[in-house]
Amino acid sequence: MNYDRYLNQRIVSVPPSGIRRFFDLASSRKDAISLGVGEPDFRTPYPIRDAAINSLIDGETQYTANRGLLELREEISLYLSERYNVSYNPAEEILVTIGASEAIDLALRALVNDGDEVLVPDPSYVSYAPGVVFAGGVAVPVQTKQEDDFRLKADTLEKAITSRTKLLILPYPNNPTGAIMEKTDLEAIADVVRKHDLFVISDEIYAELVYGGHSHVSFASVSDMYSRTLTINGFSKSFAMTGWRIGYACGAAEIISVMNKIHQYAIMCAPRQGQVAAAAALRLGRENGYESVLSMRESYDRRRRLMVRAFRDMGLDCFEPYGAFYVFPSVRRTGLSSEEFCSHLLQEKNVAAVPGNAFGPSGENHIRCCYATAVDKINIALERMAAFVAEHS
Amino acid sequence: MTKLETSLLDILREDCRTPLEKMAVMTGASMDEVASAIDEMENRKIILRYSPVINWDRTDRERVEAMIEVRVTPQRDMGFDAIARRIYRFDEVKSVYLMSGSYDLLVLVEARTLKELAAFVSGKLSPLETVTGTATSFVLKRYKEEGVIFENDDTDRRLVISP
């Protein structure tokens, strides 16, 4: 039976994920060392798990309010205010979602009318462009370059703006590049946003993972951008809570209300235990100075330095990333494309990395390596990669 | 303790064979700073030794280990410290801890055979003046030690590739 005529062609038209192919390839290799994951290697700290366990034992298994447990929204409000100097009202300006992923999807569905153009930095996370298309918009990639440390530049941004441009997605710290945007970078973007009357969806999921003496600056805290920004964040990367599926969106009550409209019909509410655990994570964090987050960050930082140095020692051109947990070296000197490099590396050395072009055309000639893995595995993987690069140069 | 020293201790605990150069890269310090911080910690007896965690069950060495709960009566000239010292002087004794609770000292003992271990307890440990009682339990199986899981349970449960 041919299902074509039943299917939503807009969705069908989105090409299959480049990552998916590599996943299938890598899964078939026994004992490959994977530098291709996008999640922490830590488990959720036990006291957080404990809060959820107790909640289950106490029989808390019902729906929560659509927007999320008020306690969690209050904690989120305190957290953002304390850590990033942005203030949101828990009652009307915060929505708890199924991961930051749902928050992005809701934001796009709430803000995109057919044909609206959405600027998406390139390379960046795989979900943005498809999400824009699903919502009926047009995704417009904005190139970022290694020579700029993959930061979004105001002039490149401005050149991509047309009369149909409505939104800018700002994903920093960035997956896959590990790039961050400092205050001055963001101020330059703010000027463009203001000038062209744009709205910004700021995905700050890696906000806690910033290194080298830098601090994360939340876009909503920059000059007068507060009313032009939807701030998205979550618990997956900072608290190692990927599988729990808890994220949130914060912004103007009118926008949150429209997002909630979709959310309440399609989702009802985010998982209760995830919410309980997330509230516990923030409460404990406030009490102990976010020690578990800082300790994970310390570990990531050591591995980050190890990896960057190793790539440079191998002769690969590699800028120093100060955010997230990825390193994005260039493999140009081997003469192989991203995909060729990764598939040969996997076949010859049993090490998995993700080709940079899976994240957009500007990712070509780069590979994404994740350092959310034990040091001993990272060392072995880097040794094998060094041998591989030497053999292919 | 400086931040560098704390970081180095974390790194060394994971793998005490980490080369100096790698430690320098990981901490952002120079090799000289790292070497000198480690020397300092050795001098201050913060770091006492570097030894591997060994799974003896995978060797053919015969070995029996016991944990002995020891009750003592500290006397005027012999407080807990002195008693502990007396006990830990025996080569068979691997570890001695002063404990809270229903007994005083926890003594970890290793011998080649059960007979040898029993002989140690009855011949050398129990007869000590200040020892009023011992309770010996044998280690049957090691699951985890010093943060290292002995069985192959260390599987990474994450998807091999994820965005």
Side-chain angles (χ1 to χ4, degrees):
Chain A
M1 165 131 162
N2 188 340
Y3 291 99
D4 243 355
R5 73 177 193 89
Y6 300 104
L7 289 169
N8 181 335
Q9 291 306 310
R10 205 163 60 194
I11 316 267
V12 169
S13 74
V14 171
S17 157
I19 289 205
R20 181 79 229 182
R21 223 166 42 74
F22 255 80
F23 174 80
D24 294 336
L25 213 63
S27 301
S28 64
R29 309 277 307 190
K30 266 197 83 98
D31 299 333
I33 296 187
S34 180
L35 302 181
V37 290
E39 61 178 320
D41 58 319
F42 297 105
R43 299 199 173 107
T44 309
Y46 194 78
I48 300 172
R49 285 185 259 162
D50 206 36
I53 291 167
N54 286 330
S55 164
L56 281 172
I57 290 171
D58 290 343
E60 291 173 6
T61 53
Q62 306 77 8
Y63 291 126
T64 70
N66 295 136
R67 290 173 186 239
L69 290 168
L70 184 59
E71 194 213 334
L72 175 56
R73 285 182 275 145
E74 284 166 346
E75 288 289 346
I76 291 168
S77 179
L78 284 168
Y79 171 75
L80 291 177
S81 169
E82 181 185 296
R83 300 292 276 170
Y84 306 114
N85 221 15
V86 278
S87 182
Y88 292 106
N89 176 338
E92 309 205 302
E93 296 174 339
I94 299 180
L95 177 64
V96 177
T97 55
I98 299 186
S101 298
E102 189 210 345
I104 293 162
D105 183 52
L106 291 180
L108 291 169
R109 290 205 275 165
L111 293 168
V112 171
N113 286 308
D114 281 357
D116 281 347
E117 289 178 5
V118 179
L119 301 160
V120 182
D122 186 295
S124 65
Y125 185 56
V126 297
S127 297
Y128 305 132
V132 170
V133 172
F134 294 162
V138 176
V140 176
V142 183
Q143 187 191 30
T144 58
K145 301 186 194 142
Q146 182 171 289
E147 69 231 38
D148 297 325
D149 286 353
F150 288 105
R151 297 183 188 198
L152 183 64
K153 291 313 214 180
D155 50 2
T156 330
L157 180 64
E158 196 146 29
K159 288 198 188 88
I161 295 177
T162 72
S163 58
R164 307 228 52 176
T165 309
K166 181 197 259 183
L167 303 174
L168 165 64
I169 295 180
L170 207 57
Y172 291 94
N174 185 275
N175 172 4
T177 62
I180 58 165
M181 293 278 277
E182 295 187 88
K183 188 141 192 262
T184 43
D185 304 310
L186 293 173
E187 279 164 350
I189 300 299
D191 289 340
V192 177
V193 166
R194 194 185 306 111
K195 177 174 167 191
H196 295 273
D197 197 18
L198 304 180
F199 190 85
V200 174
I201 299 173
S202 185
D203 180 358
E204 301 179 16
I205 192 72
Y206 291 100
E208 288 286 357
L209 302 182
V210 176
Y211 318 100
H214 296 275
S215 305
H216 176 73
V217 175
S218 190
F219 191 69
S221 71
V222 172
S223 65
D224 58 344
M225 290 293 107
Y226 181 77
S227 54
R228 291 185 177 277
T229 309
L230 183 78
T231 303
I232 290 178
N233 206 329
F235 296 83
S236 296
K237 318 294 182 184
S238 39
F239 292 90
M241 290 178 71
T242 39
W244 297 84
R245 311 312 298 123
I246 302 290
Y248 48 91
C250 306
E254 294 89 327
I255 296 182
I256 295 294
S257 168
V258 173
M259 288 172 67
N260 187 41
K261 194 184 292 190
I262 307 168
H263 175 79
Q264 78 194 27
Y265 287 130
I267 303 289
M268 288 287 279
C269 68
R272 192 181 189 113
Q273 268 66 48
Q275 293 189 53
V276 168
L282 292 182
R283 198 177 46 245
L284 291 167
R286 269 190 303 115
E287 287 163 15
N288 66 26
Y290 303 99
E291 89 189 339
S292 57
V293 174
L294 296 184
S295 145
M296 288 189 256
R297 187 173 80 194
E298 261 292 312
S299 284
Y300 290 140
D301 196 14
R302 284 180 216 144
R303 303 165 192 177
R304 176 188 71 94
R305 289 187 231 241
L306 212 58
M307 209 177 247
V308 172
R309 166 67 75 90
F311 286 133
R312 288 176 176 171
D313 287 347
M314 282 179 219
L316 296 180
D317 197 4
C318 184
F319 91 102
E320 179 161 13
Y322 289 113
F325 38 52
Y326 310 106
V327 182
F328 204 60
S330 165
V331 297
R332 207 180 269 276
R333 86 161 239 187
T334 61
L336 298 167
S337 73
S338 307
E339 287 189 29
E340 285 167 348
F341 187 99
C342 291
S343 75
H344 291 166
L345 180 66
L346 186 60
Q347 273 150 27
E348 291 170 34
K349 301 290 181 195
N350 223 12
V351 172
V354 185
N357 68 347
F359 303 92
S362 303
E364 182 50 77
N365 292 313
H366 289 265
I367 60 170
R368 184 195 79 174
C369 296
C370 174
Y371 46 84
T373 286
V375 172
D376 55 347
K377 290 211 174 86
I378 289 178
N379 282 329
I380 298 173
L382 291 171
E383 271 166 35
R384 293 189 197 169
M385 286 179 81
F388 179 83
V389 169
E391 289 158 22
H392 287 265
S393 291
Chain B
M1 290 265 316
T2 65
K3 188 161 184 294
L4 177 60
E5 286 171 341
T6 323
S7 295
L8 290 172
L9 284 181
D10 284 341
I11 296 169
L12 288 169
R13 274 193 79 183
E14 277 289 316
D15 182 1
C16 57
R17 293 192 320 156
T18 308
L20 211 56
E21 212 215 318
K22 282 228 161 80
M23 287 196 277
V25 172
M26 284 161 86
T27 55
S30 71
M31 275 177 63
D32 281 341
E33 283 168 328
V34 171
S36 123
I38 293 178
D39 280 343
E40 250 299 285
M41 290 195 283
E42 287 170 2
N43 291 337
R44 275 152 58 199
K45 302 243 179 279
I46 293 172
I47 297 178
L48 297 166
R49 193 163 89 177
Y50 302 93
S51 37
V53 176
I54 298 174
N55 185 350
W56 290 104
D57 291 341
R58 291 186 177 220
T59 67
D60 50 16
R61 183 186 287 199
E62 268 196 79
R63 209 167 160 261
V64 166
E65 290 171 275
M67 302 213 181
I68 310 174
E69 298 168 9
V70 182
R71 257 160 279 113
V72 303
T73 45
Q75 283 155 9
R76 213 169 49 127
D77 314 329
M78 221 202 268
F80 283 120
D81 288 356
I83 299 171
R85 209 169 293 130
R86 192 74 170 285
I87 293 175
Y88 71 55
R89 289 239 160 80
F90 295 115
D91 286 334
E92 298 89 329
V93 171
K94 304 286 297 305
S95 309
V96 178
Y97 307 117
L98 179 64
M99 307 291 281
S100 69
S102 55
Y103 61 92
D104 305 306
L105 294 171
L106 181 65
V107 179
L108 272 69
V109 174
E110 185 186 313
R112 269 189 331 128
T113 63
L114 197 63
K115 208 165 153 192
E116 272 184 29
L117 201 140
F120 168 76
V121 177
S122 59
K124 292 195 192 152
L125 186 60
S126 295
L128 287 177
E129 255 172 42
T130 47
V131 172
T132 58
T134 64
T136 303
S137 309
F138 290 92
V139 174
L140 298 179
K141 187 170 174 180
R142 289 185 130 82
Y143 292 98
K144 187 179 186 186
E145 190 169 292
E146 292 294 330
V148 181
I149 295 173
F150 276 44
E151 297 174 332
N152 264 345
D153 182 44
D154 222 355
T155 42
D156 189 337
R157 293 191 194 122
R158 299 176 293 171
L159 301 174
V160 175
I161 303 262
S162 49

